[in-house]
Amino acid sequence: MAQNYEFRDDDVIAPEVYGRIGHPHDAFTWLRKNDPLRWVEPEHYRPFWAVTKHADIIEIEKNPEVFASEPRPILIPEQTQPEMREELIMEIFKRLEDRPKLLEVLATAGEQGLIRSLVQMDPPDHTNYRALVQPWFKPSNIKALEDRLNMITESIIDDMMGDGGERELDFVQDVAVWPPLKLIVELLGVPEEDEPLILKLTNELFAGEDPEMMRAGDDPLSGIETVKSLYDYFTELTEERRVNPREDLASYIANGKLNGAYLPYKELISYYIIVATAGHETTRTSISGGMHALLRNPEQLQLLKDNIDDEDTVKLAVEEMIRWTTAVNQFSRTATRDYELRGQKIKKGESLGLFYASANFDEDVFDDPFKFDITRKPNRHLAFGTGPHQCLGLILARMQMRIFFTQLIPRIKEMTLVIVITGAASGFGKLVSEKLTALGACLVAGDINKSALDEVVEPLASRGARITAMKVDVTARSEMMALVKHAVDTFGRVDVMINNAGVMPLAFFSDHHAAHDAWDRCIDINFKGVLNGIAAAHDVMIQQGRGHIVNVSSIYGNYPVVGGGVYGATKAAVTFLSESLRQESLGKIKVTTVKPTGVPATALGTGVVNPEAVAGILGANATAYMGKFAAAAGGALSPEELDSNNVQYWALEPAYLADQIVYAINQPWGVSIAEITVRATGDAYVI
Ligand code: HEM
């Protein structure tokens, strides 16, 4: 729970809060601790008791005689002023003028409105209506559906993969939406060409105030138009199934009889509506929330990948995704008589909001509830509710998610590594960060220049990259320790540590007066910074049983040159550190030393103290280099010299080196690329 959190009644229910932060876990955690059964009076809602404890929701749901679903099965914003209410009802009647049968339904509806489905009913109606479709859930129907879903899911995932090339997808709208939609279409036995219509209508019905989903964003009564369309569609389906009954759920509903008669019109159409809608948004949300949680917890994704052939593991994982996501925010009950619960007097007629997401993170029931743990067992979540109204489709939802993830996970090729990188705000660090996050890695990006770092990290994060930024001075051991700790706290572990930060204060020894401070910093950053990075990640990696440390050295660490004494010495030291580390940690940590050559396009040159020292480090190639450099600046290089596909290519673009670092990181754990030196083929200047 965030420190200094102050509870507000609106926090538990306001759509604006859910839209902004998802489940209001701060509010729920506060309530569970301080006031688990609290009378709240949020704006636009009739007051209710906010029920946040797992045990209380069970007690209420299992006692339908005392806690009835009618007349308020769900908490929705209401028009409380009587004259406005009156006006609204008149407007609804007006909109239904072209549907006389619906007008008739509304005229006799009283408080109930146009839909009366299972969720609105209490015993004995609820029991009788629910029993009507039970025979459909026989094992042979479930098995046939499972076979169909396996085939359908494969084609959904094939479509998602496309031709295997790179492209962007919206996982919710382009992928997760399909399995539940196809399930509904299979269950109801409606033709495939009606899929877009069913999708549109179910989205609209659940839209609430979500402008992305509502039929007409600024029309508060747009829901009426949706209900009209649903009535039209299912009236026609009923007529058809009464003439030609099949083995689908639609036929069970159309032909179901109570006391020898077909169901009343409103209850009949509402039955279709609940089946078509209840399983759609919920399963889509659970699939998306599950995928999101796996991506945020790469070690759990890896665990699932490693055990994907074990059905029990997948079942547990699905259960945890369902708990974690808790797709249904609340249902509500109304007390039919006075009742005492948790020492509070609930009066007859008062409503209770059942907050499933709070129950599913109740510390009294779940160990470490805010940890996403795909091995959690037992997992007594209430995402499907409990008691007589417990989700009718839970077998189907679980089956569908199991099939979906069993098929999807082995086809995920993305990088699941957790990587820490220093010097991420510019140069190689920036490029490597961009490339690694594009591949799916979880990145903890550090740099001493926080505002420059934010400029790199924020656009990546807004595109969905799993990246977090932290200001870090690599010369401070405690800050490097904190950087690694941040990675462990955020992503659960550290697979790769890239010690990239470095400076290049080239100067001759005779420049010592001008250069000494820069040299001190160079020694601190290039050498001690790398050592601090190794020390910070070492124990974590040893404990994990594996890790990879990538240290950026330089080609100038190979040989002493004039003008680069201190710089070269720090880079030679990095090579020494890396080699010793490799030998000491054989079989536990792999080590890669990166030795960039001449890559003029990085900002490293800005640290040079004496520009003449640049010529010094080029030695015999100085004249050739200066000539090329001047030609490049004046646009006088030949096309061949600028073409990386040509052997005359004169100087490396930094991206090529970044690619090689990514390549080294992307090797199987047993394969270690110990050193990387990449040159442009026509590079005439670096020894
Ligand atoms: C992960 C996906 C799903 C979740 C999280 C979910 C959740 C729920 C919840 C919380 C309830 C209310 C339970 C209560 O009042 O105690 C419910 C009821 C219901 N669900 Fe689901 N559901 C899911 C999928 C489905 C599917 C796939 C279908 C149908 C194909 C379905 C059909 C229903 C129906 C008909 C009800 C009303 C039951 C009644 O009132 O008796 N649900 N669901």
Side-chain angles (χ1 to χ4, degrees), residues 127 234 344 421 515 606 633:
T127 323
F234 289 118
Q344 297 270 22
I421 182 166
T606 54

Side-chain angles (χ1 to χ4, degrees), residues 283-295:
T283 315
R284 171 177 61 195
T285 304
S286 304
I287 288 177
S288 308
M291 192 69 223
H292 186 252
L294 286 172
L295 293 174

